Amino acid sequence: VQPPEKPLQAEEWNKLRESFQSPEIFEEVMFNSMVRYNSPIDVAKSLLTHVAKSNGDIAYNLLLKYLALCVQQGQISEIHDVYDIMKIRFKILESGAYNLLIKGLSNSDQWRMALTLLEEVKKNMTPSRTNYESCIKAAGRHQEMNLAFELYHEMLAKDLVPTLDILQAFFDFSRGLKGAELQKELFGILSYLRENQIYPHKTFMRSIKLWFESIPGGNWRGHLTNIKDSGQCPVCNHQLEDSDLTKEEYNNLSERIIRDVIHGTDTFRKTSPQEFEAFQTFVENRLPFDIVIDGLNVSHMKPRRMQCENLFDAVNCLAKNNARLLVLGRRHMLINSSNWKREIMKEMQSKADFFFAENISEDDAFLLYATLRSGQHCKFVTRDFLRDHKACLSDSLTRHLFRKWQLIYCVKSKKLFLSVFIQQPAFSYDCVVQTTGDTWHIPYKDSFEEKYSYRVPRKWLCIQQQ
């Protein structure tokens, strides 16, 4: 539906409504269309007035659509009016209305009103990431950085993951500002990137570089570079952190994962303590393994092939150098079916140890346990990122070691060529944000990637204090 270009009288709206194939949803469709075409506000207002006069009332969803148009156009007085109407008419607003109101008001000179609404939201529900980010940007635009960081920490405490956009905004808003506390907060964001193995994209990296160079009296200089294979930075000649785990780090990590993750709260969510005990006994009697394979996960590698053929290729390929393999399977794999052929399963079992768990079991804990108990040489094969388990680790250092361990010990497999299992080219240096105090090294990607990726960047920003 193409909305009219100018406000209409009641009879003109009625005429349009009657000619519409589903008159009962005419107003809703028309408002959607006005938002899409960004219609003039007085056109939308004339329809709203017509609805109010005809029905003596305006439905919540129509008010919401009108509000969306007002926010889109930054019509602040109208946003206020709609909020006043909604407050009188409805006891509690839902998150969609709050998202729009906070977004609209935070972009105006009445941005503090958005903070009041955020407090209101907290009384009834957990505010969304968008709510927080709208308010943070508003505070940052008005150079109220303490307030912006207060909201940021509150957001993290509620387990809301900040977007790269908001992290970049902190560096943009802080450019040229003085203050040791502010500097500490921004270094904290860089540590957050390190702990979570987040690689900024090019524009975010530039914001970080410009902020460093703008610190009054800081004498920081940034250069873009590629790190040598040896791990040395060609700009400052500094040696980056080693990618491998020391024996002590490995033992600590192993201990922590077995304690916090495997015997922690979440292991037996989908497996019984009895089954896990049986698995432990199975593993202890056959240690050590060289490679542990997440069988079900690998069997889905090529969707158009039989699952057992996918797994067969993986086992064949990995068993070549007399490696001792453990495949974690499910009971249903033992039942002859279109996906699981008995003779292929038999042949695989002659090349690898198999443990078949109940069909409902969560096998990440099995995978972690068998790999870690086998020792530092043992690798694992999965397409999972094991993120839940990383989250169970309570301190940032252990989370960092877990991520390093994943990068070193997880064998990635190319989707297209299942028969060729590849290892990530092992870098001798660790691809994360790192600092020595007077240098920072920040790996970055050319383009923005929302999805978590194992692909490590080759490009770096080296920042030195002169």
Side-chain angles (χ1 to χ4, degrees), residues 35-54:
V35 172
R36 192 164 60 246
Y37 289 104
N38 203 19
S39 295
I41 211 77
D42 56 351
V43 176
K45 213 170 180 178
S46 80
L47 176 56
L48 210 59
T49 310
H50 169 62
V51 171
K53 283 180 179 167
S54 308

Side-chain angles (χ1 to χ4, degrees), residues 276-289:
F276 196 71
E277 231 167 81
F279 173 70
Q280 283 176 294
T281 307
F282 175 91
V283 168
E284 297 301 325
N285 289 337
R286 290 167 178 77
L287 282 174
F289 297 103

Side-chain angles (χ1 to χ4, degrees), residues 3-38:
E5 285 171 22
K6 56 185 200 318
L8 302 183
Q9 297 301 320
E11 57 273 16
E12 293 173 297
W13 280 121
N14 282 332
K15 215 177 197 175
L16 264 182
R17 190 179 196 274
E18 281 156 23
S19 65
F20 189 66
Q21 58 193 29
S22 311
E24 69 283 357
I25 56 164
F26 168 74
E27 289 80 7
E28 200 167 323
V29 173
M30 182 56 81
F31 270 116
N32 283 342
S33 191
M34 285 176 179
V35 172
R36 192 164 60 246
Y37 289 104
N38 203 19

Side-chain angles (χ1 to χ4, degrees), residues 123-354:
K123 288 173 192 163
N124 302 311
M125 59 189 105
T126 301
S128 68
R129 167 166 84 174
T130 319
N131 295 158
Y132 274 107
E133 296 198 346
S134 296
C135 292
I136 288 170
K137 279 190 176 171
R141 267 194 295 273
H142 293 86
Q143 301 285 276
E144 297 224 9
M145 296 313 295
N146 288 347
L147 173 60
F149 275 108
E150 203 178 297
L151 291 166
Y152 167 70
H153 290 300
E154 201 176 284
M155 178 182 170
L156 291 181
K158 290 188 188 326
D159 285 333
L160 296 169
V161 177
T163 57
L164 290 192
D165 178 53
I166 202 70
L167 296 178
Q168 181 184 338
F170 277 112
F171 288 91
D172 291 336
F173 292 136
S174 304
R175 207 172 294 164
L177 298 182
K178 260 190 173 145
E181 197 50 46
L182 176 70
Q183 203 166 306
K184 193 176 150 199
E185 288 284 14
L186 288 154
F187 285 169
I189 290 180
L190 294 174
S191 297
Y192 176 84
L193 297 181
R194 173 190 170 89
E195 282 166 28
N196 294 284
Q197 198 198 340
I198 296 167
Y199 303 122
H201 47 77
K202 202 184 264 177
T203 47
F204 184 3
M205 175 276 295
R206 283 203 188 106
S207 294
I208 295 171
K209 179 178 183 290
L210 289 171
W211 171 71
F212 266 103
E213 292 173 345
S214 80
I215 297 173
N219 292 330
W220 290 94
R221 279 288 156 270
H223 298 275
L224 307 188
T225 186
N226 291 343
I227 302 295
K228 294 175 185 171
D229 286 345
S230 64
Q232 192 184 41
C233 170
V235 179
C236 65
N237 295 324
H238 181 76
Q239 187 68 30
L240 295 194
E241 291 172 30
D242 192 5
S243 66
D244 216 343
L245 297 175
T246 64
K247 194 161 179 51
E248 191 184 349
E249 284 176 332
Y250 183 87
N251 291 341
N252 286 345
L253 178 69
S254 177
E255 225 170 85
R256 286 296 299 278
I257 290 179
I258 287 173
R259 189 185 78 202
D260 293 5
V261 178
I262 294 170
H263 296 311
T265 50
D266 79 334
T267 306
F268 302 123
R269 206 172 38 202
K270 289 182 185 165
T271 182
S272 67
Q274 293 81 358
E275 182 180 46
F276 196 71
E277 231 167 81
F279 173 70
Q280 283 176 294
T281 307
F282 175 91
V283 168
E284 297 301 325
N285 289 337
R286 290 167 178 77
L287 282 174
F289 297 103
D290 298 313
I291 301 173
V292 181
I293 303 169
D294 182 343
L296 197 60
N297 186 295
V298 169
S299 74
H300 286 97
M301 202 71 83
K302 274 188 174 178
R304 288 196 181 87
R305 295 185 71 205
M306 246 193 294
Q307 286 175 24
C308 63
E309 283 182 349
N310 282 336
L311 186 56
F312 186 67
D313 277 2
V315 167
N316 261 350
C317 173
L318 293 167
K320 271 179 189 155
N321 304 320
N322 294 325
R324 292 207 57 226
L325 309 183
L326 168 62
V327 181
L328 301 172
R330 292 285 204 282
R331 291 268 168 89
H332 71 258
M333 294 176 177
L334 293 168
I335 301 162
N336 202 25
S337 65
S338 58
N339 258 317
W340 298 100
K341 297 288 176 220
R342 191 164 285 149
E343 60 278 13
I344 296 179
M345 288 302 292
K346 261 205 172 120
E347 197 176 332
M348 272 196 276
Q349 282 169 277
S350 68
K351 299 181 179 199
D353 279 304
F354 271 74

